[in-house]
Amino acid sequence: MANSKSAAEKTFVRGLEGVVAAETNISWVDGIHGKLYYQGYDIHDIAEHVSFEEVIFLLWNGRFPNRAECDRLQLELASEMRLPSQVVEMIKLMPPSAHPMAVLQTAVSMLGVLDPDAGNNSAEANLRKAKRLVAQVPTLIADLHRIRKSLPLISADPKMGIADNFLYMMRGAPPIEIEQTVMDLLMVLHTDHGLNASTFAGRVIASTLSDMHSALAGAIGALKGSLHGGANQKVMEMILQIGNVDMVQDYIAGMLENKQKIMGFGHRVYRTEDPRARHLRKYSEMLCELKGFKELYDISHKVETLVRESKGIYPNVDFYSATVQHALGIPADFLTAVLAASRTAGWVAHIMEQYADNRLIRPTSKYTAELGIKFVPMEQRP
Ligand code: COA
């Protein structure tokens, strides 16, 4: 067998674990110490102290906004939340069985076709597209939910931020104060997370100089999978299926015995607790208690204890975000889409960063089959 492969082609890292594939200023995950930084700021100093809009400004500009800049961004985003009527019509045409992430991906592609800056890949146009996408994705999710429930659509209130507006447009009434705090925190914690699979997918697409909407649609497709963002839906379904705190022991023991993965646990980078889980655990307990879902929090907590003790693995962001979102009234099949709405701000930050210093991302593969096989024409094949 001929072998003309170079040494570089033979260096294969399964799942690209530990491979450095991009340079970024946006965020950094320190998996050994369980730390997450946004533009150098520790997530624990940001969470519960700053709004989603402040985080968006930080990720896009490398510094926090002053009051006037923050107010301007909030107003700009709120004014971009309305969807083109063609997109609303398209959502209505989607079969009820379509997963919200599939609808979201399709709708983002359609927004790209209709975008006033379609075909313009300048930095200025991309910043305008980024703002529109961050504003429109929450509306897509809220509108899809209301269309499926045959409820009238609700327009964003320009006085509210993205997180408040999202709950308002989805549920039809402005959120109470604790819900505002939790929704904003949820979006802040999910905004960015280093070179995760969907962000990488988005950067790969951007590196071909394809447009921002195409890169975002690709990132949404990657997030949908259950090893990535899709895990939060699986977590919620598991907790609801367990249903009773007394059933946790047998349920988890059965899963581990069958070598099944427990969704919402483990991580490629963290070797200790995901720092975002600390905040979500606290608000899961508070909100579940307040909304009459105490049993769901208790089940989660017992699952966490058992999985930690038996497998030595920790909850990731998706584990407690599931019950937090459930207590906010978000249905299980919409949980990943809500994560996508938050992550859109991070994705577009990475896409703009990629465009600003681009080189085509085109790795190579380790070829594992034979080379130089003799060609046999069709009429001579057995
Ligand atoms: N439940 C049970 N065991 C798990 C586990 C989980 N959630 N996550 C990892 N493990 C175990 C694996 O079985 C494996 O054990 P082994 O070496 O005895 O075979 C070991 O830990 C390493 O796991 P692996 O899947 O190879 O790690 P990875 O880095 O490729 O995968 C994830 C990382 C996130 C995909 C993985 O932890 C997972 O599937 N988690 C559940 C899905 C999830 O919550 N995803 C959201 C991530 S934010």
Side-chain angles (χ1 to χ4, degrees):
M1 172 179 140
N3 191 344
S4 60
K5 286 175 272 182
S6 69
E9 283 175 300
K10 288 180 195 162
T11 314
F12 164 57
V13 181
R14 197 168 151 78
L16 298 185
E17 179 168 2
V19 171
V20 179
E23 282 188 312
T24 186
N25 288 333
I26 299 166
S27 68
W28 161 242
V29 180
D30 173 352
I32 301 299
H33 301 103
K35 294 277 201 181
L36 169 61
Y37 299 92
Y38 286 173
Q39 293 276 7
Y41 293 93
D42 190 321
I43 195 70
H44 294 311
D45 294 333
I46 295 177
E48 304 183 41
H49 299 292
V50 302
S51 68
F52 183 49
E53 281 78 5
E54 282 175 84
V55 167
I56 297 171
F57 191 100
L58 171 69
L59 296 192
W60 294 359
N61 298 282
R63 65 172 176 86
F64 276 113
N66 60 32
R67 170 57 55 207
E69 289 168 327
C70 190
D71 289 350
R72 197 178 317 129
L73 179 64
Q74 179 176 320
L75 208 64
E76 274 183 292
L77 294 175
S79 70
E80 295 279 12
M81 290 184 91
R82 180 181 283 277
L83 299 179
S85 59
Q86 299 98 312
V87 174
V88 176
E89 287 313 306
M90 188 273 283
I91 295 174
K92 288 181 182 163
L93 289 173
M94 285 278 174
S97 59
H99 192 278
M101 285 294 280
V103 179
L104 187 62
Q105 191 182 32
T106 312
V108 163
S109 293
M110 191 167 181
L111 284 172
V113 174
L114 299 169
D115 193 276
D117 285 303
N120 184 349
N121 219 15
S122 67
E124 298 73 24
N126 279 325
L127 184 57
R128 290 193 292 272
K129 289 182 197 178
K131 287 179 186 167
R132 282 195 278 273
L133 279 163
V134 166
Q136 288 166 330
V137 169
T139 313
L140 284 171
I141 300 164
D143 284 5
L144 173 65
H145 176 67
R146 292 185 75 80
I147 286 166
R148 288 198 165 166
K149 297 261 172 223
S150 303
L151 294 166
L153 302 186
I154 292 178
S155 301
D157 181 337
K159 293 189 293 302
M160 290 185 194
I162 295 263
D164 297 359
N165 257 319
F166 168 67
L167 283 181
Y168 170 51
M169 291 188 297
M170 184 155 185
R171 306 184 319 184
I176 59 170
E177 199 179 334
I178 178 70
E179 292 174 328
Q180 290 177 345
T181 305
V182 176
M183 189 66 220
D184 207 72
L185 173 72
L186 195 74
M187 298 198 82
V188 165
L189 293 176
H190 282 105
T191 315
D192 204 54
H193 204 237
L195 200 61
N196 58 85
S198 55
T199 300
F200 183 50
R203 287 190 79 130
V204 168
I205 296 170
S207 84
T208 70
L209 297 186
S210 184
D211 62 288
M212 182 176 278
H213 287 79
S214 296
L216 206 84
I220 291 169
L223 188 77
K224 182 168 171 252
S226 59
L227 294 187
H228 192 11
N232 58 11
Q233 178 180 344
K234 301 277 180 211
V235 170
M236 199 61 238
E237 288 166 355
M238 173 181 77
I239 291 168
L240 291 171
Q241 196 180 23
I242 296 174
N244 182 315
V245 80
D246 297 331
M247 303 301 289
V248 174
Q249 175 86 45
D250 287 351
Y251 190 98
I252 295 299
M255 283 188 82
L256 294 177
E257 222 170 272
N258 293 325
K259 306 249 173 282
Q260 282 176 273
K261 279 193 169 169
I262 320 286
M263 290 293 140
F265 284 85
H267 201 271
R268 172 59 64 77
V269 183
Y270 290 121
R271 291 292 158 255
T272 180
E273 180 168 287
D274 180 330
R276 300 165 298 176
R278 183 202 297 181
H279 300 274
L280 293 170
R281 185 190 292 106
K282 174 176 139 188
Y283 282 100
S284 168
E285 183 173 18
M286 193 185 289
L287 211 57
C288 283
E289 174 100 49
L290 188 76
K291 300 275 182 172
F293 300 122
K294 172 103 179 27
E295 180 95 24
L296 298 181
Y297 171 78
D298 291 344
I299 293 170
S300 313
H301 198 251
K302 192 153 179 197
V303 170
E304 178 186 355
T305 309
L306 286 175
V307 175
R308 262 184 206 250
E309 283 170 6
S310 47
K311 288 287 293 184
I313 51 175
Y314 300 86
N316 56 52
V317 71
D318 295 315
F319 189 65
Y320 283 105
S321 105
T323 39
V324 165
Q325 291 201 52
H326 182 84
L328 287 170
I330 298 163
D333 60 342
F334 277 73
L335 300 194
T336 314
V338 174
L339 158 52
S342 321
R343 187 59 58 84
T344 295
W347 284 328
V348 294
H350 280 270
I351 293 164
M352 290 189 286
E353 191 181 54
Q354 183 66 38
Y355 287 143
D357 183 21
N358 188 54
R359 185 159 190 232
L360 176 73
I361 299 174
R362 200 292 188 200
T364 187
S365 51
K366 180 179 177 184
Y367 179 74
T368 57
E370 210 175 322
L371 294 172
I373 302 170
K374 190 173 178 315
F375 173 73
V376 181
M378 173 79 89
E379 44 294 349
Q380 291 172 28
R381 289 176 211 157

Short mmCIF file of all heavy atoms in Angstrom, two decimals, residues 168-221:
data_model
loop_
_atom_site.label_atom_id
_atom_site.label_comp_id
_atom_site.label_asym_id
_atom_site.label_seq_id
_atom_site.Cartn_x
_atom_site.Cartn_y
_atom_site.Cartn_z
N TYR A 168 -42.05 38.86 28.05
CA TYR A 168 -43.31 39.57 27.79
C TYR A 168 -43.94 39.08 26.48
O TYR A 168 -45.13 38.72 26.42
CB TYR A 168 -43.00 41.08 27.72
CG TYR A 168 -44.13 41.94 27.23
CD1 TYR A 168 -45.40 41.85 27.79
CD2 TYR A 168 -43.91 42.89 26.22
CE1 TYR A 168 -46.43 42.65 27.33
CE2 TYR A 168 -44.94 43.69 25.76
CZ TYR A 168 -46.20 43.56 26.31
OH TYR A 168 -47.22 44.35 25.86
N MET A 169 -43.13 38.99 25.42
CA MET A 169 -43.68 38.59 24.11
C MET A 169 -44.08 37.12 24.10
O MET A 169 -45.00 36.73 23.40
CB MET A 169 -42.63 38.83 23.00
CG MET A 169 -42.37 40.30 22.75
SD MET A 169 -41.32 40.53 21.30
CE MET A 169 -39.84 39.73 21.80
N MET A 170 -43.39 36.30 24.89
CA MET A 170 -43.70 34.87 24.88
C MET A 170 -44.94 34.56 25.72
O MET A 170 -45.81 33.82 25.32
CB MET A 170 -42.50 34.09 25.43
CG MET A 170 -42.68 32.58 25.37
SD MET A 170 -41.09 31.78 25.31
CE MET A 170 -41.57 30.08 25.08
N ARG A 171 -45.02 35.21 26.90
CA ARG A 171 -46.08 34.82 27.84
C ARG A 171 -47.26 35.80 27.86
O ARG A 171 -48.30 35.49 28.43
CB ARG A 171 -45.50 34.70 29.25
CG ARG A 171 -44.30 33.76 29.31
CD ARG A 171 -43.79 33.56 30.71
NE ARG A 171 -43.80 34.81 31.46
CZ ARG A 171 -43.35 34.96 32.68
NH1 ARG A 171 -42.86 33.93 33.32
NH2 ARG A 171 -43.39 36.12 33.29
N GLY A 172 -47.05 37.01 27.32
CA GLY A 172 -48.19 37.93 27.19
C GLY A 172 -48.37 38.89 28.34
O GLY A 172 -49.25 39.74 28.28
N ALA A 173 -47.53 38.80 29.38
CA ALA A 173 -47.61 39.76 30.49
C ALA A 173 -46.18 40.10 30.90
O ALA A 173 -45.30 39.23 30.85
CB ALA A 173 -48.35 39.14 31.67
N PRO A 174 -45.94 41.37 31.30
CA PRO A 174 -44.58 41.72 31.70
C PRO A 174 -44.14 40.86 32.90
O PRO A 174 -44.96 40.56 33.77
CB PRO A 174 -44.69 43.20 32.10
CG PRO A 174 -45.97 43.68 31.51
CD PRO A 174 -46.88 42.49 31.43
N PRO A 175 -42.89 40.45 32.95
CA PRO A 175 -42.43 39.60 34.05
C PRO A 175 -42.37 40.35 35.38
O PRO A 175 -42.20 41.56 35.39
CB PRO A 175 -41.01 39.19 33.61
CG PRO A 175 -40.59 40.22 32.61
CD PRO A 175 -41.82 40.74 31.96
N ILE A 176 -42.53 39.60 36.47
CA ILE A 176 -42.35 40.21 37.80
C ILE A 176 -40.85 40.38 38.05
O ILE A 176 -40.03 39.81 37.32
CB ILE A 176 -43.02 39.38 38.92
CG1 ILE A 176 -42.44 37.95 38.96
CG2 ILE A 176 -44.52 39.36 38.75
CD1 ILE A 176 -42.88 37.15 40.17
N GLU A 177 -40.50 41.13 39.11
CA GLU A 177 -39.10 41.54 39.30
C GLU A 177 -38.13 40.36 39.36
O GLU A 177 -37.09 40.36 38.70
CB GLU A 177 -38.99 42.39 40.56
CG GLU A 177 -37.71 43.21 40.56
CD GLU A 177 -37.60 44.07 41.80
OE1 GLU A 177 -38.64 44.44 42.37
OE2 GLU A 177 -36.45 44.35 42.17
N ILE A 178 -38.48 39.31 40.12
CA ILE A 178 -37.56 38.18 40.25
C ILE A 178 -37.39 37.47 38.90
O ILE A 178 -36.29 37.01 38.56
CB ILE A 178 -38.03 37.19 41.38
CG1 ILE A 178 -37.09 35.98 41.49
CG2 ILE A 178 -39.43 36.71 41.19
CD1 ILE A 178 -35.73 36.28 42.04
N GLU A 179 -38.46 37.43 38.11
CA GLU A 179 -38.36 36.80 36.78
C GLU A 179 -37.44 37.63 35.87
O GLU A 179 -36.65 37.07 35.10
CB GLU A 179 -39.74 36.68 36.14
CG GLU A 179 -40.65 35.68 36.83
CD GLU A 179 -42.06 35.68 36.26
OE1 GLU A 179 -42.54 36.76 35.80
OE2 GLU A 179 -42.70 34.62 36.27
N GLN A 180 -37.53 38.95 35.99
CA GLN A 180 -36.64 39.83 35.19
C GLN A 180 -35.19 39.54 35.54
O GLN A 180 -34.35 39.36 34.67
CB GLN A 180 -36.91 41.30 35.51
CG GLN A 180 -38.21 41.82 35.01
CD GLN A 180 -38.42 43.29 35.43
OE1 GLN A 180 -37.73 43.81 36.30
NE2 GLN A 180 -39.37 43.93 34.81
N THR A 181 -34.92 39.47 36.86
CA THR A 181 -33.56 39.23 37.32
C THR A 181 -33.04 37.91 36.78
O THR A 181 -31.93 37.81 36.28
CB THR A 181 -33.54 39.17 38.89
OG1 THR A 181 -34.12 40.37 39.36
CG2 THR A 181 -32.16 38.98 39.45
N VAL A 182 -33.87 36.87 36.89
CA VAL A 182 -33.43 35.53 36.51
C VAL A 182 -33.26 35.41 35.00
O VAL A 182 -32.28 34.83 34.52
CB VAL A 182 -34.41 34.46 37.06
CG1 VAL A 182 -34.01 33.08 36.59
CG2 VAL A 182 -34.46 34.50 38.57
N MET A 183 -34.20 35.98 34.23
CA MET A 183 -34.10 35.88 32.76
C MET A 183 -32.86 36.61 32.27
O MET A 183 -32.13 36.12 31.40
CB MET A 183 -35.37 36.47 32.12
CG MET A 183 -35.47 36.21 30.63
SD MET A 183 -35.69 34.45 30.25
CE MET A 183 -34.66 34.30 28.82
N ASP A 184 -32.60 37.78 32.86
CA ASP A 184 -31.42 38.54 32.45
C ASP A 184 -30.14 37.76 32.80
O ASP A 184 -29.22 37.65 31.99
CB ASP A 184 -31.43 39.91 33.13
CG ASP A 184 -30.67 40.93 32.31
OD1 ASP A 184 -31.18 41.33 31.26
OD2 ASP A 184 -29.54 41.27 32.70
N LEU A 185 -30.13 37.18 34.00
CA LEU A 185 -28.97 36.39 34.43
C LEU A 185 -28.76 35.19 33.51
O LEU A 185 -27.63 34.88 33.11
CB LEU A 185 -29.17 35.91 35.88
CG LEU A 185 -28.11 34.94 36.39
CD1 LEU A 185 -26.78 35.64 36.64
CD2 LEU A 185 -28.57 34.23 37.66
N LEU A 186 -29.86 34.52 33.19
CA LEU A 186 -29.79 33.35 32.31
C LEU A 186 -29.13 33.75 30.97
O LEU A 186 -28.26 33.04 30.46
CB LEU A 186 -31.22 32.86 32.06
CG LEU A 186 -31.42 31.49 31.46
CD1 LEU A 186 -31.13 30.42 32.49
CD2 LEU A 186 -32.87 31.34 30.98
N MET A 187 -29.53 34.90 30.44
CA MET A 187 -28.98 35.33 29.15
C MET A 187 -27.51 35.73 29.31
O MET A 187 -26.68 35.39 28.46
CB MET A 187 -29.82 36.48 28.57
CG MET A 187 -31.25 36.02 28.28
SD MET A 187 -32.20 37.07 27.17
CE MET A 187 -31.68 36.53 25.56
N VAL A 188 -27.18 36.40 30.41
CA VAL A 188 -25.78 36.78 30.65
C VAL A 188 -24.90 35.53 30.74
O VAL A 188 -23.83 35.46 30.12
CB VAL A 188 -25.68 37.62 31.95
CG1 VAL A 188 -24.24 37.73 32.44
CG2 VAL A 188 -26.27 39.01 31.75
N LEU A 189 -25.35 34.53 31.49
CA LEU A 189 -24.52 33.33 31.69
C LEU A 189 -24.36 32.51 30.41
O LEU A 189 -23.38 31.78 30.26
CB LEU A 189 -25.13 32.44 32.78
CG LEU A 189 -25.13 33.00 34.20
CD1 LEU A 189 -25.85 32.04 35.14
CD2 LEU A 189 -23.71 33.25 34.70
N HIS A 190 -25.32 32.62 29.49
CA HIS A 190 -25.26 31.82 28.27
C HIS A 190 -24.64 32.58 27.08
O HIS A 190 -24.56 32.04 25.99
CB HIS A 190 -26.67 31.37 27.85
CG HIS A 190 -27.19 30.22 28.64
ND1 HIS A 190 -28.14 30.34 29.61
CD2 HIS A 190 -26.90 28.91 28.60
CE1 HIS A 190 -28.42 29.16 30.13
NE2 HIS A 190 -27.67 28.27 29.54
N THR A 191 -24.22 33.83 27.28
CA THR A 191 -23.84 34.66 26.12
C THR A 191 -22.65 34.10 25.35
O THR A 191 -22.64 34.10 24.13
CB THR A 191 -23.55 36.12 26.54
OG1 THR A 191 -24.56 36.56 27.43
CG2 THR A 191 -23.54 37.04 25.34
N ASP A 192 -21.63 33.65 26.07
CA ASP A 192 -20.46 33.15 25.33
C ASP A 192 -19.73 32.10 26.15
O ASP A 192 -19.84 32.07 27.39
CB ASP A 192 -19.52 34.31 24.96
CG ASP A 192 -18.68 33.93 23.75
OD1 ASP A 192 -19.26 33.55 22.72
OD2 ASP A 192 -17.44 33.98 23.84
N HIS A 193 -18.96 31.25 25.47
CA HIS A 193 -18.26 30.20 26.19
C HIS A 193 -17.10 29.64 25.37
O HIS A 193 -17.09 28.46 24.99
CB HIS A 193 -19.26 29.08 26.57
CG HIS A 193 -18.79 28.30 27.75
ND1 HIS A 193 -18.60 26.94 27.72
CD2 HIS A 193 -18.43 28.71 28.99
CE1 HIS A 193 -18.17 26.54 28.92
NE2 HIS A 193 -18.05 27.60 29.69
N GLY A 194 -16.13 30.51 25.10
CA GLY A 194 -14.93 30.07 24.39
C GLY A 194 -15.24 29.45 23.04
O GLY A 194 -16.25 29.77 22.40
N LEU A 195 -14.38 28.52 22.62
CA LEU A 195 -14.55 27.94 21.28
C LEU A 195 -15.35 26.64 21.38
O LEU A 195 -14.87 25.57 21.06
CB LEU A 195 -13.19 27.70 20.61
CG LEU A 195 -13.24 27.56 19.09
CD1 LEU A 195 -13.78 28.82 18.42
CD2 LEU A 195 -11.87 27.22 18.54
N ASN A 196 -16.59 26.78 21.87
CA ASN A 196 -17.48 25.61 21.94
C ASN A 196 -17.87 25.19 20.51
O ASN A 196 -17.59 25.91 19.54
CB ASN A 196 -18.72 25.96 22.78
CG ASN A 196 -19.46 27.14 22.21
OD1 ASN A 196 -20.28 26.99 21.32
ND2 ASN A 196 -19.13 28.34 22.65
N ALA A 197 -18.53 24.03 20.40
CA ALA A 197 -18.76 23.44 19.07
C ALA A 197 -19.54 24.37 18.13
O ALA A 197 -19.20 24.50 16.95
CB ALA A 197 -19.48 22.10 19.22
N SER A 198 -20.59 25.02 18.64
CA SER A 198 -21.40 25.86 17.74
C SER A 198 -20.65 27.13 17.34
O SER A 198 -20.75 27.59 16.20
CB SER A 198 -22.75 26.20 18.40
OG SER A 198 -22.55 26.81 19.65
N THR A 199 -19.89 27.70 18.29
CA THR A 199 -19.10 28.90 17.97
C THR A 199 -18.04 28.56 16.93
O THR A 199 -17.80 29.32 15.98
CB THR A 199 -18.45 29.44 19.26
OG1 THR A 199 -19.51 29.76 20.16
CG2 THR A 199 -17.61 30.67 19.01
N PHE A 200 -17.42 27.39 17.10
CA PHE A 200 -16.43 26.94 16.12
C PHE A 200 -17.09 26.78 14.75
O PHE A 200 -16.55 27.23 13.73
CB PHE A 200 -15.80 25.63 16.61
CG PHE A 200 -14.71 25.10 15.72
CD1 PHE A 200 -13.67 25.92 15.30
CD2 PHE A 200 -14.71 23.77 15.30
CE1 PHE A 200 -12.65 25.43 14.47
CE2 PHE A 200 -13.70 23.28 14.48
CZ PHE A 200 -12.67 24.11 14.06
N ALA A 201 -18.27 26.14 14.74
CA ALA A 201 -18.99 25.95 13.47
C ALA A 201 -19.25 27.31 12.80
O ALA A 201 -19.04 27.48 11.60
CB ALA A 201 -20.31 25.22 13.73
N GLY A 202 -19.68 28.27 13.60
CA GLY A 202 -19.96 29.61 13.07
C GLY A 202 -18.69 30.26 12.52
O GLY A 202 -18.71 30.89 11.45
N ARG A 203 -17.58 30.09 13.23
CA ARG A 203 -16.32 30.70 12.78
C ARG A 203 -15.81 30.03 11.51
O ARG A 203 -15.24 30.69 10.63
CB ARG A 203 -15.26 30.65 13.89
CG ARG A 203 -15.54 31.65 15.02
CD ARG A 203 -14.39 31.78 16.00
NE ARG A 203 -13.35 32.63 15.47
CZ ARG A 203 -12.79 33.66 16.13
NH1 ARG A 203 -13.17 33.96 17.36
NH2 ARG A 203 -11.83 34.37 15.57
N VAL A 204 -16.01 28.72 11.41
CA VAL A 204 -15.59 28.00 10.19
C VAL A 204 -16.34 28.58 8.98
O VAL A 204 -15.76 28.88 7.94
CB VAL A 204 -15.83 26.48 10.31
CG1 VAL A 204 -15.67 25.78 8.97
CG2 VAL A 204 -14.89 25.87 11.35
N ILE A 205 -17.64 28.76 9.14
CA ILE A 205 -18.45 29.28 8.02
C ILE A 205 -18.05 30.72 7.70
O ILE A 205 -17.84 31.08 6.54
CB ILE A 205 -19.96 29.16 8.35
CG1 ILE A 205 -20.35 27.68 8.49
CG2 ILE A 205 -20.81 29.84 7.27
CD1 ILE A 205 -21.72 27.41 9.04
N ALA A 206 -17.85 31.53 8.75
CA ALA A 206 -17.43 32.93 8.51
C ALA A 206 -16.07 32.97 7.81
O ALA A 206 -15.83 33.85 6.98
CB ALA A 206 -17.37 33.68 9.84
N SER A 207 -15.20 32.01 8.13
CA SER A 207 -13.84 32.04 7.56
C SER A 207 -13.83 31.82 6.04
O SER A 207 -12.83 32.10 5.39
CB SER A 207 -12.94 31.00 8.25
OG SER A 207 -13.10 29.72 7.66
N THR A 208 -14.93 31.31 5.50
CA THR A 208 -15.00 31.18 4.03
C THR A 208 -15.45 32.50 3.40
O THR A 208 -15.60 32.58 2.18
CB THR A 208 -16.01 30.08 3.62
OG1 THR A 208 -17.33 30.55 3.91
CG2 THR A 208 -15.75 28.76 4.33
N LEU A 209 -15.71 33.50 4.25
CA LEU A 209 -16.29 34.80 3.86
C LEU A 209 -17.74 34.67 3.42
O LEU A 209 -18.28 35.51 2.70
CB LEU A 209 -15.45 35.54 2.82
CG LEU A 209 -14.04 35.93 3.29
CD1 LEU A 209 -13.33 36.79 2.24
CD2 LEU A 209 -14.07 36.67 4.63
N SER A 210 -18.39 33.60 3.89
CA SER A 210 -19.84 33.52 3.75
C SER A 210 -20.45 34.57 4.69
O SER A 210 -19.76 35.16 5.52
CB SER A 210 -20.30 32.11 4.12
OG SER A 210 -21.69 31.98 3.91
N ASP A 211 -21.75 34.79 4.58
CA ASP A 211 -22.39 35.88 5.33
C ASP A 211 -22.72 35.48 6.77
O ASP A 211 -22.73 34.30 7.12
CB ASP A 211 -23.67 36.31 4.61
CG ASP A 211 -24.68 35.17 4.57
OD1 ASP A 211 -24.44 34.21 3.80
OD2 ASP A 211 -25.65 35.20 5.33
N MET A 212 -23.00 36.51 7.59
CA MET A 212 -23.25 36.31 9.02
C MET A 212 -24.45 35.40 9.28
O MET A 212 -24.43 34.56 10.18
CB MET A 212 -23.46 37.66 9.70
CG MET A 212 -23.68 37.55 11.20
SD MET A 212 -23.81 39.17 11.97
CE MET A 212 -22.09 39.60 12.15
N HIS A 213 -25.54 35.56 8.50
CA HIS A 213 -26.73 34.73 8.74
C HIS A 213 -26.43 33.26 8.46
O HIS A 213 -26.92 32.38 9.16
CB HIS A 213 -27.90 35.22 7.89
CG HIS A 213 -28.49 36.51 8.37
ND1 HIS A 213 -27.92 37.72 8.12
CD2 HIS A 213 -29.62 36.76 9.11
CE1 HIS A 213 -28.65 38.68 8.68
NE2 HIS A 213 -29.68 38.13 9.28
N SER A 214 -25.63 32.98 7.42
CA SER A 214 -25.26 31.59 7.13
C SER A 214 -24.45 31.02 8.29
O SER A 214 -24.66 29.87 8.71
CB SER A 214 -24.42 31.50 5.86
OG SER A 214 -25.16 31.92 4.77
N ALA A 215 -23.50 31.81 8.81
CA ALA A 215 -22.67 31.34 9.92
C ALA A 215 -23.55 31.08 11.15
O ALA A 215 -23.36 30.10 11.88
CB ALA A 215 -21.59 32.37 10.23
N LEU A 216 -24.54 31.96 11.37
CA LEU A 216 -25.40 31.79 12.54
C LEU A 216 -26.31 30.56 12.39
O LEU A 216 -26.53 29.82 13.35
CB LEU A 216 -26.25 33.04 12.75
CG LEU A 216 -26.65 33.18 14.21
CD1 LEU A 216 -25.55 33.85 15.01
CD2 LEU A 216 -27.93 33.95 14.37
N ALA A 217 -26.82 30.35 11.17
CA ALA A 217 -27.68 29.18 10.95
C ALA A 217 -26.88 27.90 11.19
O ALA A 217 -27.39 26.94 11.78
CB ALA A 217 -28.25 29.21 9.53
N GLY A 218 -25.61 27.89 10.78
CA GLY A 218 -24.75 26.73 11.03
C GLY A 218 -24.52 26.52 12.52
O GLY A 218 -24.57 25.40 13.03
N ALA A 219 -24.28 27.63 13.23
CA ALA A 219 -24.05 27.54 14.68
C ALA A 219 -25.30 26.99 15.38
O ALA A 219 -25.21 26.17 16.29
CB ALA A 219 -23.69 28.91 15.23
N ILE A 220 -26.47 27.43 14.94
CA ILE A 220 -27.73 26.95 15.54
C ILE A 220 -27.86 25.44 15.32
O ILE A 220 -28.24 24.70 16.24
CB ILE A 220 -28.94 27.71 14.95
CG1 ILE A 220 -28.92 29.17 15.43
CG2 ILE A 220 -30.27 27.05 15.35
CD1 ILE A 220 -29.91 30.09 14.73
N GLY A 221 -27.51 24.98 14.13
CA GLY A 221 -27.55 23.55 13.84
C GLY A 221 -26.64 22.76 14.77
O GLY A 221 -27.00 21.68 15.23
#
